[in-house]
Amino acid sequence: MPLQLHHVSSDAEFNDLVQCVCESYAAPVNRLWRLFRHDASPAGFIELRDRLIREFRGDPHACWLKIVDTDIGDKVVGAALWDTYTENPYPVFKEHPVEAEWWPEGELAW
């Protein structure tokens, strides 16, 4: 199982990366994951992929890395997002609301 580390540099790489992340959180079930990816349908997968691409492209400090297994056709078997700063990005604490646009309005039965 030769593993290789790669920087993610193109939008096309996010399909396999998001598939790996979704499979990783699926078993055992991780309820916290549902807060970040509510919809497990194919449309939900696309929404998650596109959201991660937008966030990645909009953050100059973001660095996605992926691990591929060369024995199984460069399948993505791990991934990580790193934000690297040369100075404190939060010199003054400011409270601001966070809107989870991927989460539906109202209550959800678990």
Side-chain angles (χ1 to χ4, degrees):
M1 175 190 224
L3 302 175
Q4 292 182 348
L5 174 67
H6 297 275
H7 277 93
V8 175
S9 57
S10 74
D11 293 356
E13 294 175 88
F14 277 87
N15 276 327
D16 293 339
L17 186 147
V18 171
Q19 184 65 41
C20 174
V21 171
C22 290
E23 289 173 6
S24 298
Y25 283 108
V29 173
N30 183 323
R31 293 203 184 270
L32 183 61
W33 177 239
R34 290 187 67 190
L35 292 174
F36 301 105
R37 182 175 189 247
H38 170 67
D39 183 1
S41 71
F45 177 91
I46 292 168
E47 189 279 327
L48 174 63
R49 181 204 60 204
D50 292 350
R51 179 166 28 100
L52 292 178
I53 290 171
R54 278 192 317 273
E55 291 170 0
F56 176 61
R57 294 292 170 221
D59 184 352
H61 306 287
C63 175
W64 271 100
L65 301 172
K66 66 180 181 177
I67 304 291
V68 299
D69 185 337
T70 59
D71 278 352
I72 51 176
D74 287 347
K75 179 178 171 78
V76 177
V77 294
L81 171 62
W82 289 88
D83 285 314
T84 307
Y85 301 95
T86 56
E87 55 189 55
N88 183 357
Y90 311 106
V92 176
F93 177 74
K94 291 183 187 176
E95 249 187 79
H96 60 281
V98 176
E99 183 178 336
E101 71 273 359
W102 63 89
W103 192 259
E105 292 289 329
E107 302 258 341
L108 178 68
W110 291 93

